[in-house]
Amino acid sequence: MLYFIGLGLGDAKYITVKGLEIVRQCSRVYLEDYTSILWYPFSVVGAYFGVLNAKKKKNQFNLPRATTHSDLVLRALNAGIQYHVVHNASIMNAVGCCGLQVRIKLQSNVVILRIFVVSIVFWTDTWRPESFYDKIKKNRDMGPHTLCLLDIKVKEQSMKNLMRGRNIYEPPRYMTFAQAAEQLLEILQNQRDRGEELAMTQDTVCVGLAQIRAEVQTIHSGTLQELMSCDLGGPLHSMIISGHLHSLEVDMLKLFSGPEGLKTLKMTDSSTYVS
Amino acid sequence: MLYFIGLGLGDAKYITVKGLEIVRQCSRVYLEDYTSILWYPFSVVGAYFGVLNAKKKKNQFNLPRATTHSDLVLRALNAGIQYHVVHNASIMNAVGCCGLQVRIKLQSNVVILRIFVVSIVFWTDTWRPESFYDKIKKNRDMGPHTLCLLDIKVKEQSMKNLMRGRNIYEPPRYMTFAQAAEQLLEILQNQRDRGEELAMTQDTVCVGLAQIRAEVQTIHSGTLQELMSCDLGGPLHSMIISGHLHSLEVDMLKLFSGPEGLKTLKMTDSSTYVS
């Protein structure tokens, strides 16, 4: 049996009781740090989980990041090994802690998802995709908030090392809120130059989130511009660009704003709130 | 301090280790069974959590379901009480276990959410909203899958009892996959009668999910028509209507189809796969 056990968002104690029981009975335990950051040293988690002789091995699988777990499921089944999933929290639902509704009940009694997700990737000198902006624009037109997951670069090789076949990797990079905001503002300037109607401005209400997990998490709300100079602390950062705001959501956002922030929140049109 | 502690998807052991530690130190524990079903008797969870003299009290809050937790946060803070959230899994991310991608990496290197969510509500004789169908149509046009959360009716009063002010509640009702599919097929027939282009048919590939939690969960994939006669077991049921399918997703879906199901999966256009 191959178990997939969610580690949750926090230290080693954010595993479920059930998950921990299973880990302690397993003959082999792999810690997956390829699709996220592990927040604690491998030795600590190994000791807590009661995994004797825990050793950090290099990633032995060559997997596409977004489909890592499906790929492992299919490989296991092909090898005649059954699998079982023990779920846990992920950023996809935990962002609700900032007070923006992941789901909301509308008057028509139809519940719709209130947060859609895009990823913002690191630009290079020659590769500056703007496609995520189109998605943000669509969302703001329709109403939902946009959760922007920010790029992670781990185990990346420089072009030089890649061409020379040297397995030397660049230090990991995690996109900050400010870096994402800079790219976004550049796209907005490009849109402005082309005479396009803008989906948002530097005054649009956003939320900056960092290390959404126990104890240390940081949440700031304010305008995009304000948040660019906020210290959110270490990675991973996320950005939420607000869509239509419910009054209860505004009340929640105020919990995370500066002393003056969001006091003067004004709705300029159905999908634009400026402070 | 007011703690919000996710119970996860399973029995009492699907709480996190951290959550359990906190529960055991609390002077008062409330079990919230208003926004979902608790899968185990209150006395069992009370005993497991080590909560002495656990009693099931009636819901003492008058809360809108979709904003329950935000409302409690704000009330607590207004009363000078701090709060803390310990996250856990929810259906919003756990549906990934059927193999449809909640997120996927596209060629343009922009990751977009692959599952959007609507709720399907119980129709009455006089109230038969079709608005969720429009959302499904939009999703299928764009590509994402649609997760349909099915209606829950708890603590509902009959019109007669409501008018007479009698606090007598109807037995709880949980919409089944088959009930949702019937409503959907009726809408499709209405659309056909109006000469509209259909977003899906009875042959569209869907997934039926029931009790997505430990041990007992049921997942079936197949056409909408096929799944209507599948026994998914007890509530809660969910329905996923496929959008664009990745080959890895098709491989995963085949794990949950009947012996003949999905063998002859054909793509009829960019967002229609029929079996």
Side-chain angles (χ1 to χ4, degrees), chain A residues 9 11-22 48 64-67 69-71 73-74 77 83-97 99-105 107-113 115-119 121 127 129 131-132 135 138-139 142 149 151 153 212-215 217 246 248 251-252 255-256, chain B residues 9 11-22 48 64-67 69-71 73-74 77 83-97 99-105 107-113 115-119 121 127 129 131-132 135 138-139 142 149 151 153 212-215 217 246 248 251-252 255-256:
Chain A
L9 300 166
D11 62 26
K13 287 189 177 177
Y14 285 75
I15 193 172
T16 58
V17 174
K18 186 71 181 184
L20 186 55
E21 280 184 5
I22 293 171
Y48 179 70
R65 186 171 286 136
T67 52
H69 304 110
S70 285
D71 194 279
V73 163
L74 291 170
L77 291 174
Y83 75 100
H84 186 80
V85 180
V86 180
H87 297 288
N88 210 322
S90 82
I91 188 69
M92 305 287 283
N93 52 8
V95 287
C97 65
L100 293 181
Q101 299 292 322
V102 174
R103 294 169 52 206
I104 203 160
K105 202 157 192 171
Q107 284 186 317
S108 61
N109 214 16
V110 175
V111 184
I112 60 159
L113 191 68
I115 293 199
F116 288 172
V117 185
V118 300
S119 280
V121 294
W127 188 69
S131 45
F132 64 87
K135 191 89 188 73
K138 268 192 198 155
N139 283 353
M142 293 193 293
L149 302 177
D151 206 0
K153 291 276 185 210
I212 294 301
R213 56 191 177 99
E215 281 90 48
Q217 70 183 28
H246 183 277
L248 199 63
D251 289 346
M252 287 293 293
L255 302 178
F256 306 109
Chain B
L9 301 167
D11 61 26
K13 288 189 176 175
Y14 285 76
I15 193 171
T16 58
V17 174
K18 185 72 179 184
L20 186 55
E21 279 183 7
I22 293 170
Y48 179 70
R65 186 171 287 138
T67 54
H69 304 109
S70 286
D71 194 280
V73 164
L74 292 169
L77 292 174
Y83 75 99
H84 186 80
V85 179
V86 181
H87 297 289
N88 210 322
S90 82
I91 187 70
M92 306 286 282
N93 51 10
V95 287
C97 66
L100 294 182
Q101 299 291 323
V102 174
R103 295 169 52 209
I104 203 159
K105 204 156 192 173
Q107 283 187 317
S108 62
N109 214 14
V110 175
V111 183
I112 60 160
L113 190 67
I115 292 202
F116 289 172
V117 184
V118 300
S119 279
V121 294
W127 188 68
S131 44
F132 63 85
K135 191 90 187 68
K138 266 191 198 154
N139 284 353
M142 291 193 296
L149 302 176
D151 206 1
K153 290 279 184 208
I212 292 302
R213 55 192 178 98
E215 281 90 45
Q217 71 183 25
H246 182 280
L248 201 62
D251 288 345
M252 286 294 291
L255 302 178
F256 305 109

Side-chain angles (χ1 to χ4, degrees), chain B residues 55-70:
Chain B
K55 275 186 207 167
K56 182 159 172 53
K57 284 197 180 184
K58 288 207 174 164
N59 187 344
Q60 295 167 324
F61 309 102
N62 182 19
L63 297 165
R65 186 171 287 138
T67 54
T68 305
H69 304 109
S70 286

Side-chain angles (χ1 to χ4, degrees), chain B residues 7-8 14 41-42 47 50 69 72-73 86 91-92 107 111 117 135 154-155 187-188 197 199 203 213 257 263 270 274:
Chain B
L7 293 179
Y14 285 76
F42 186 80
H69 304 109
L72 284 172
V73 164
V86 181
I91 187 70
M92 306 286 282
Q107 283 187 317
V111 183
V117 184
K135 191 90 187 68
V154 289
K155 293 198 76 177
I187 295 173
L188 289 171
E197 200 185 324
D203 292 323
R213 55 192 178 98
S257 67
K263 281 246 172 86
S270 66
V274 296

Side-chain angles (χ1 to χ4, degrees), chain A residues 227-241:
Chain A
L227 294 177
M228 280 181 77
S229 51
C230 255
D231 182 16
L232 287 173
L236 303 176
H237 290 190
S238 303
M239 172 191 284
I240 300 179
I241 300 163

